[in-house]
Each structure stands twice: as structure tokens, then as C-alpha cells.
Amino acid sequence: ITPGSWSSTPVPRCELVTCPPLEVASRHLRLLTLNNSYLGAATFSCPLGYSLSPSIPSIWCDHTGAWSAPLPSCQIVR
């Protein structure tokens, strides 16, 4: 290390953590809210006669930029 110089270059920087966009292919799954920033949530519902599978109404954007779980689906209630 040369006197008067920084020990590491380039200088570290902060980057915004975001999760990828969600592609809802199911015509029944409803995306109620979406915040794809770190700790943001996506919440879902299904129409009457259908239930979420798995029955997790929300997923979260984690510190790595990945969603906490895959998209749920809507299964017909029998």
C-alpha cells in the first residue's frame, strides 16, 4: 500500500436491492399489492370458489433480491 492511498479500489458503493418482476400467468390468481424492493411484499388472492395453494397470501423480497417463495396458484375448491 502506497502512503496516502486507499487500500481498496474501486470504493464500495450501495446498490438498491430489488426482486425480479412477477409474471402471473394464471387467470385466477390476483396480485393485490406489489413492492419488489428489499422487504417489500407481493400479496395474492383467489376468486370465490378457489383457494391459494400453498395457502400463503404473501411473499417477500429478501436481501439477495430473490422472492421468499414461488408464486402460489389458485385451486378450485371441491
Side-chain angles (χ1 to χ4, degrees):
I1 298 178
T2 308
S5 66
W6 293 105
S7 61
S8 176
T9 55
V11 176
R13 61 188 173 119
C14 296
E15 292 185 5
L16 180 63
V17 174
T18 57
C19 283
L22 294 174
E23 294 183 29
V24 178
S26 167
R27 64 183 186 152
H28 298 294
L29 184 64
R30 296 177 183 156
L31 181 60
L32 300 178
T33 62
L34 175 62
N35 178 345
N36 68 332
S37 298
Y38 171 60
L39 292 181
T43 57
F44 308 95
S45 74
C46 294
L48 187 62
Y50 291 82
S51 65
L52 285 170
S53 176
S55 84
I56 301 171
S58 298
I59 59 175
W60 302 92
C61 182
D62 71 18
H63 69 285
T64 66
W67 290 104
S68 60
L71 284 175
S73 62
C74 294
Q75 302 294 321
I76 194 163
V77 176
R78 299 189 189 275

